Amino acid sequence: MTLTHTPAPTNTRLNRLFAPTSIAVVGASASPGKLGSVMLDAINRGSDGTVTAYGINPKGAGDGFHVSLAAATESHGAPIDLAVLCIPAAATPAALREAADCGVGAALICSGGFAEAGPDGIALQNQLADITAETGIRLLGPNTSGFFRPGNTTVSFVPTVEHISRGTVAVVAASGGMNHALSFLLSEQGVGVGIGVGLGNSVDVTSVDVLEYLSEDPTVTAIALHVESVDDGQALLAAVRTVTAEKPIVAIVVGRSDVSAFSESHTGALATSWKTTRALLAEAGAVVVDSERQLVDALAVLSRTRLPAAPTPGIGLVTAQAGPGLMILDELLAQDVQVPTLTGSTQAGLSELLPPLTFQANPVDTGRPGAAFGNVLATTAADPGIDALAVYALAEPDAIDLAAAVRESGVHTDVPVVLGIGGPGDAVGKTSASAAEIGVPVLPSPTALATGISALVHDARSRYLRAADPRPTATATAPALSLPADEATAKDLLDALGIATPQRRVCADRTAAHQALTEITLPVAVKILDATVVHKTEIGGVHLGIRTAEDLDTALDALDAIDAPAYLVESMATSGVDLFLGARRDPVFGPIVVAGLGGTAAEAIGDVAIRSHHLTHAAAAAMLDDLQCAPLLDGWRGGPVLNRDEFAHLAVTVAGYLAAHPEISDIEINPLRLTPTGLTALDAVILPAPNRPTALEGELQ
């Protein structure tokens, strides 16, 4: 039986995948232990009674089984929402085609043997892609263990899914195994899962589709995102930006050991896919963590509470034990979280509530908590510099009920409160249950509490930076380039963009070089001028500190020995801090900006910050705060101080120019020297994009 396909809105189609009322398992049988049988049994056991399930087996097998999807559709009296294909890979294209012909809205393929299995598998996977594109049927997988909605619908062959508790966090994982692993951890922490999705090979339904679907799901308050690889980086970032405006996303990215294949420029060598993916997800609004434990701690907080967007939220830390308090403070400061000193009036109020020997300026050390604990929380939260409270204590039921102290003080209605509690499981569990009733998260250790609070702060800071209006840049007046461009041409472009460069002369011969020595400020640098040479210092193409004609002749002799076609004679900048600023066309994410400590050791140090070309002026101004070397930019030992607005203008301008000129693959300024008078581009490289016409060729056409 063939039904006419009627196009439906995307989310309606994903509803037939993730909220089906009818499911057919192709490959089911009455034999226990087989994949189809396990899946059918899981669907029947995991349904809340709203799902009708059918087994599809050509031989038939009794009640609930049909010989084909067409027969099941006829029995059902309407097209089936979801077909789960538990059959060998070679048989799946025909089964998917049959499902589409029967009007099935979505399919899920559990089996492997596709793109991950080599050329034959790739061919099979391409057939699946063709069918979905032609018919509009939505497909999850192949090579996925499925998805589940605890307490509602289970379409997963992992038997222990039924032990995952219901909650409001969605898990979107590249791997079915990680979908389950993260969901079990969230459940153990008492957070619970609303929906868990394993994407598998993502022939059709991708993380972008699922994120867009979840953005409109009122039962989901936060999302865990597990990333292994990215095909369409700009679509993923756009989805993250959209979702995080309403709901927090906590992301973990696999691939720390990745090395870049791009070695022609420092920018490419420094921007590995793992670093780039993490940085751009964070810029788009996700809270990026290093481990699944951190992911759970972050979501324990963000699924229940969220700070308003703010540049530097202040945290009040109240602790009943000094040692754990110091651990929390140390971790918060390491994560660039502000723990401001409380005002004099706040400290005066606390002094009336606490023993005189305790520290009360923030952190607030209460000693053993007592009856005044709730008043301590309220007084600390009322300080004008405090936007949220982190509270840690050991569970001491005979001394105080921490959840009751929060509830009775009402402090949680004024600012977010996050509790950290240590002690026996029963005592902690009772407090956690009481705290959950008023929406207060509870974490099990000092480090976990710091992780949760850091996530709260970074989420608020990211939304603030994204909301800042970008400032316009003067890229329209920049000249077209003839590529490849040598250093002098590249610096002419920087001049046109308003980026300072040294005084210089392009010299075709030795006579011109000696003339230049008399015209520009000494000392000078003498360089090979050759558009084909990217790393000049590595071939002896740069000579510094030239003051005399004799020095110049020595340098020119060395350059002639490497067949220099021309020379660049340039005034040397005063001493300072060398930075690196580059923009490159990333193959996955499009134009990106990379900045860090510069000079010839930039790649060895690898201390970089990465942003997309969508970065706002405010985001660019804060960009270098990511660097470990950031203190060098703030007058370290009497050195120069970076004007963050000046750097932001440079970063936004370079990113904007690259985005507007597809004929260019890289723009690199290294070193970009910070001096007492500002930033100066001492070297510049512009690389053409492969298979792109130059701007000049475009004009001739």
Side-chain angles (χ1 to χ4, degrees):
M1 177 177 65
T2 301
L3 303 179
T4 302
H5 297 294
T6 301
T10 299
N11 276 0
T12 299
R13 274 324 212 3
L14 288 186
N15 270 332
R16 296 184 73 183
L17 171 61
F18 293 128
T21 59
S22 54
I23 303 175
V25 179
V26 180
S29 74
S31 300
K34 290 188 175 181
L35 178 60
S37 302
V38 172
M39 182 65 83
L40 183 60
D41 182 58
I43 293 169
N44 285 323
R45 286 188 294 105
S47 170
D48 61 1
T50 62
V51 176
T52 302
Y54 300 94
I56 308 299
N57 191 303
K59 298 178 180 179
D63 292 342
F65 281 82
H66 296 274
V67 296
S68 67
L69 272 170
T73 300
E74 186 172 350
S75 174
H76 187 61
I80 288 170
D81 287 330
L82 174 62
V84 182
L85 309 185
C86 299
I87 54 180
T92 55
L96 182 63
R97 173 72 68 177
E98 181 188 3
D101 289 344
C102 290
V104 174
L108 188 157
I109 299 177
C110 299
S111 55
F114 294 90
E116 78 282 359
D120 291 343
I122 292 173
L124 285 173
Q125 185 159 307
N126 288 339
Q127 291 182 47
L128 300 179
D130 291 342
I131 294 169
T132 60
E134 178 185 341
T135 66
I137 190 172
R138 302 312 305 262
L139 172 62
L140 182 64
N143 194 23
T144 176
S145 54
F147 72 91
F148 45 83
R149 289 182 179 272
N152 182 284
T153 306
T154 295
V155 188
S156 167
F157 55 73
V158 177
T160 50
V161 164
E162 60 193 53
H163 298 292
I164 296 173
S165 61
R166 190 170 186 170
T168 63
V169 171
V171 177
V172 182
S175 153
M178 282 305 299
N179 172 35
H180 289 80
L182 294 175
S183 295
F184 283 121
L185 286 172
L186 287 163
S187 182
E188 290 167 7
Q189 181 60 37
V191 177
V193 176
I195 180 172
V197 181
L199 295 168
N201 291 10
S202 296
V203 164
D204 174 47
V205 174
T206 67
S207 58
V208 172
D209 297 306
V210 181
L211 289 175
E212 291 173 347
Y213 176 77
L214 294 173
S215 69
E216 300 179 12
D217 187 339
T219 68
V220 171
T221 61
I223 300 169
L225 178 63
H226 166 259
V227 179
E228 287 183 350
S229 63
V230 180
D231 292 324
D232 188 342
Q234 298 200 52
L236 176 60
L237 298 181
V240 171
R241 282 191 291 268
T242 298
V243 173
T244 54
E246 303 296 332
K247 301 177 182 182
I249 294 175
V250 180
I252 184 168
V253 180
V254 179
R256 184 188 303 268
S257 299
D258 180 25
V259 293
S260 177
F262 300 102
S263 59
E264 192 172 11
S265 69
H266 290 299
T267 311
L270 289 167
T272 67
S273 64
W274 181 76
K275 285 183 179 178
T276 299
T277 303
R278 284 170 56 90
L280 298 190
L281 283 173
E283 180 193 10
V287 174
V288 180
V289 295
D290 294 329
S291 69
E292 64 272 28
R293 183 70 257 171
Q294 290 180 349
L295 180 140
V296 171
D297 294 337
L299 285 166
V301 175
L302 287 172
S303 64
R304 291 189 172 99
T305 189
R306 207 177 190 192
L307 277 167
T312 54
I315 301 301
L317 173 55
V318 179
T319 178
Q321 289 83 29
L326 285 173
M327 286 193 66
I328 297 165
L329 177 63
D330 188 41
E331 186 62 27
L332 290 178
L333 296 180
Q335 295 297 322
D336 196 28
V337 174
Q338 301 297 308
V339 184
T341 300
L342 302 175
T343 64
S345 59
T346 299
Q347 293 187 52
L350 290 172
S351 68
E352 298 178 1
L353 300 170
L354 296 171
L357 296 180
T358 61
F359 190 81
Q360 300 167 11
N362 200 18
V364 177
D365 180 10
T366 67
R368 193 180 191 207
F373 196 78
N375 292 333
V376 171
L377 298 180
T379 301
T380 305
D383 188 277
I386 299 304
D387 298 292
L389 284 184
V391 183
Y392 184 85
L394 297 175
E396 298 185 73
D398 60 326
I400 188 172
D401 183 332
L402 293 176
V406 173
R407 181 177 60 250
E408 291 165 7
S409 70
V411 65
H412 62 292
T413 63
D414 298 322
V415 299
V417 178
V418 183
L419 297 179
I421 303 176
D426 289 345
V428 173
K430 290 178 182 178
T431 302
S432 298
S434 298
E437 293 175 358
I438 57 174
V440 173
V442 176
L443 290 163
S445 71
T447 301
L449 176 58
T451 298
I453 288 291
S454 296
L456 192 68
V457 168
H458 291 156
D459 172 67
R461 185 181 298 160
S462 175
R463 281 181 285 123
Y464 170 82
L465 291 174
R466 295 201 315 281
D469 291 330
R471 301 186 188 181
T473 58
T475 59
T477 59
L481 288 178
S482 177
L483 296 170
D486 60 27
E487 180 181 346
T489 303
K491 285 181 173 174
D492 289 343
L493 172 63
L494 298 185
D495 288 338
L497 294 174
I499 299 172
T501 62
Q503 183 186 19
R504 62 189 175 276
R505 296 287 187 274
V506 174
C507 304
D509 53 35
R510 299 173 76 101
T511 300
H514 278 277
Q515 180 64 30
L517 192 66
T518 67
E519 295 174 346
I520 60 178
T521 304
L522 301 178
V524 301
V526 182
K527 309 177 185 179
I528 184 174
L529 192 60
D530 186 340
T532 66
V533 177
V534 176
H535 303 303
K536 294 182 285 293
T537 56
E538 294 178 7
I539 64 167
V542 178
H543 298 267
L544 306 177
I546 307 300
R547 293 181 176 272
T548 67
E550 291 77 12
D551 292 341
L552 179 59
D553 280 328
T554 300
L556 296 177
D557 288 343
L559 295 180
D560 288 342
I562 57 173
D563 296 324
Y567 318 113
L568 183 65
V569 179
E570 184 174 71
S571 290
M572 292 184 63
T574 58
S575 61
V577 179
D578 283 345
L579 299 174
F580 160 87
L581 174 63
R584 83 175 318 266
R585 206 168 295 282
D586 185 86
V588 174
F589 293 100
I592 63 171
V593 183
V594 185
L597 199 63
T600 57
E603 291 176 34
I605 296 171
D607 186 16
V608 296
I610 304 173
R611 299 291 185 272
S612 74
H613 74 281
H614 294 291
L615 82 170
T616 63
H617 186 94
M623 180 177 178
L624 295 183
D625 293 337
D626 290 358
L627 303 178
Q628 293 180 345
C629 70
L632 295 177
L633 310 179
D634 297 318
W636 178 262
R637 295 192 174 181
V641 177
L642 176 66
N643 182 321
R644 294 301 206 274
D645 279 338
E646 181 187 7
F647 174 81
H649 171 73
L650 268 63
V652 172
T653 298
V654 170
Y657 187 84
L658 181 73
H661 290 267
E663 72 276 8
I664 297 174
S665 71
D666 290 68
I667 301 174
E668 181 179 293
I669 306 172
N670 182 29
L672 174 64
R673 181 163 294 175
L674 171 61
T675 72
T677 58
L679 292 166
T680 302
L682 301 189
D683 195 1
V685 172
I686 297 177
L687 299 177
N691 303 319
R692 292 277 190 174
T694 66
L696 186 58
E697 289 170 345
E699 291 174 0
L700 293 175
Q701 293 171 359

